[in-house]
Amino acid sequence: MRFLNWLAQIVSVTHMNLRNVPARPSSTIVAMLGIAGVVAVLVAVLSIAAGFRSTLETTGSEDAAIVLRSGSTAELSSGLSADQVRIIAEAPGVRAGADGPLASAELFVVVDAPKRGAGTPANVPLRGVGPNAFEVRDSFALTKGRRFESGLREVIVGAGAAREFSGLDVGATLKWGSNEWMVVGEFEDGGSLSESEIWTDVRVLQDAYNRGSSFQSMRVKLENPDMLQTFSDALSSDARLNVTVERESEFYAGQAGPLARIIESIGWVVTAMMGLGAIFAAILTMYAAVSARTIEIATLRALGFGRIPIVVSVLVEALVLGLIGGLIGGVLAYIGFNGYQASTLNWSSFSQVTFAFSVTPALIVTGMIYALVMGFVGGLIPSWRAASMPITAALREL
């Protein structure tokens, strides 16, 4: 019975509080906008990490594997000989194509290209790929021009690289060192990491950079995702090889982790500092709201309303303001940043990765929860003060 009485009081006082919110437009708007700004910043910063992580995770395929030299965690530190890549391509579990095993031995170097707008040089990956590289990648699609011809110093450019760096348009001539390259095409690959790269014939790249017949990685298309263990066991038991095998999707997901976690940590630190300001704004707003109703609250308590219903009612009002502010912040972040194109340094390859900010539903929910936390903390002190004030002291303000 006592609980039902409290519940009825909470509903009555909360309804009265929310009904009076329009009477305090200035303080209410300031509190909501403060929370909205904090949530917008939080979601925007976290969307950088989400976009970067999404780009690397979409690069890998479940039915593809990447082979590196044993102990290597990135392509730059790996090395494979021509004999080794031949053995790997003929291993059990590798899917057969019209022109042999679906495998691509690849070489990876870094070249300079100026960023659009700023003009500052940036490291861009130049990848030499085998003839079957286009079949190993599921989402590869040529969008402009044509593919490079084997034996010629021709390149095709990923859509992300063409968008972020100048001088990579189809028909342009590029010069790195003493070598000149002709851009003959542009491609997309489902928004993956490949779109940050420039591709050419691996044999031509070996010759241009004096790499002999060496490679750095081997990509293979498996007969199905379950064949990874069979493929890995075959390579591990071959005394001629000393390699590491990893599912392609897991390899790139692992590469995304360190930088994504750093970006997320920075985002939370910045947001926590801004959140303190928003919490103070909420506290001041709720203080003003409670102070304006001091006599009203004292009268309610004199009529028999308990302290807990008053505390809960003020907290509910603060949570509603936080919820609305969080929703506004999430919408602003989505409109302003979702899909925004950028590039950053991939520490695993020391080259640029182009990606798009990704404001996901999970980030919106995270922002809303953070807004509710700010509203709760901001409303707790004023509500406690309102409930603790002696009735006689409050009525003397009449």
Side-chain angles (χ1 to χ4, degrees):
M1 180 62 73
R2 187 178 182 185
F3 174 75
L4 294 177
N5 184 40
W6 277 4
L7 187 61
Q9 291 183 16
I10 289 171
V11 172
S12 299
V13 180
T14 301
H15 180 261
M16 181 189 68
N17 289 348
L18 295 178
R19 189 180 57 193
N20 291 332
V21 166
R24 308 182 297 274
S26 299
S27 59
T28 300
I29 290 174
V30 167
M32 287 194 300
L33 290 183
I35 293 174
V38 173
V39 170
V41 170
L42 171 65
V43 174
V45 174
L46 295 183
S47 72
I48 300 174
F52 179 78
R53 192 188 296 275
S54 174
T55 296
L56 266 65
E57 288 179 347
T58 56
T59 301
S61 172
E62 289 294 307
D63 62 351
I66 182 170
V67 183
L68 304 176
R69 183 176 59 194
S70 180
S72 300
T73 56
E75 291 181 88
L76 278 180
S77 58
S78 177
L80 300 171
S81 68
D83 288 339
Q84 288 176 321
V85 299
R86 179 184 53 77
I87 296 170
I88 294 169
E90 295 173 350
V94 179
R95 189 183 303 177
D99 300 319
L102 291 184
S104 173
E106 302 183 353
L107 182 64
F108 182 93
V109 300
V110 176
V111 296
D112 288 338
K115 283 191 171 184
R116 290 189 184 275
T120 54
N123 292 343
V124 180
L126 173 59
R127 180 181 295 278
V129 299
N132 285 328
F134 311 106
E135 282 69 38
V136 172
R137 273 90 169 176
D138 293 329
S139 303
F140 177 88
L142 195 69
T143 55
K144 294 180 182 177
R146 58 173 174 82
R147 294 183 182 180
F148 56 80
E149 292 188 14
S150 298
L152 298 181
R153 292 192 175 177
E154 296 179 341
V155 298
I156 55 176
V157 179
R163 185 173 53 246
E164 290 294 320
F165 308 106
S166 61
L168 302 182
D169 300 320
V170 176
T173 299
L174 307 172
K175 187 172 184 179
W176 292 305
S178 59
N179 303 300
E180 288 191 348
W181 306 79
M182 174 70 75
V183 181
V184 297
E186 185 176 314
F187 68 93
E188 294 179 351
D189 190 39
S192 73
L193 179 66
S194 298
E195 294 187 4
S196 305
E197 299 177 340
I198 302 170
W199 286 8
T200 187
D201 180 2
V202 66
R203 302 291 181 185
V204 175
L205 191 62
Q206 287 173 331
D207 178 64
Y209 283 82
N210 299 318
R211 298 298 180 91
S213 59
S214 66
F215 302 88
Q216 287 170 305
S217 64
M218 183 76 166
R219 280 173 172 75
V220 302
K221 199 70 171 175
L222 301 171
E223 294 174 356
N224 60 65
D226 296 333
M227 293 303 292
L228 178 67
Q229 192 61 50
T230 301
F231 176 67
S232 178
D233 290 344
L235 300 190
S236 300
S237 61
D238 194 321
R240 297 170 294 177
L241 300 174
N242 183 25
V243 297
T244 297
V245 181
E246 198 166 356
R247 195 182 299 280
E248 198 178 34
S249 56
E250 296 171 356
F251 173 77
Y252 283 107
Q255 296 230 321
L259 182 57
R261 284 193 289 272
I262 290 174
I263 295 173
E264 289 169 350
S265 299
I266 293 174
W268 278 110
V269 170
V270 172
T271 304
M273 296 172 65
M274 295 185 64
L276 287 176
I279 288 173
F280 280 120
I283 290 175
L284 292 175
T285 298
M286 298 314 299
Y287 259 126
V290 172
S291 298
R293 300 200 305 270
T294 299
I295 298 173
E296 182 181 293
I297 291 173
T299 303
L300 289 173
R301 291 189 56 201
L303 292 174
F305 283 79
R307 291 180 177 179
I308 291 180
I310 292 174
V311 170
V312 173
S313 67
V314 176
L315 280 177
V316 169
E317 180 181 344
L319 290 174
V320 169
L321 295 181
L323 190 65
I324 296 173
L327 182 61
I328 294 172
V331 171
L332 289 175
Y334 182 84
I335 294 174
F337 296 98
N338 190 51
Y340 180 80
Q341 299 290 331
S343 66
T344 189
L345 184 68
N346 182 0
W347 292 354
S348 297
S349 63
F350 296 102
S351 59
Q352 293 288 311
V353 176
T354 61
F355 65 98
F357 287 31
S358 179
V359 180
T360 64
L363 292 185
I364 298 290
V365 171
T366 300
M368 299 285 284
I369 293 173
Y370 192 67
L372 289 174
V373 171
M374 287 190 289
F376 179 83
V377 175
L380 183 61
I381 298 176
S383 63
W384 184 255
R385 177 180 180 275
S388 303
M389 181 177 289
I391 298 175
T392 52
L395 291 176
R396 275 200 295 270
E397 296 185 9
L398 183 65

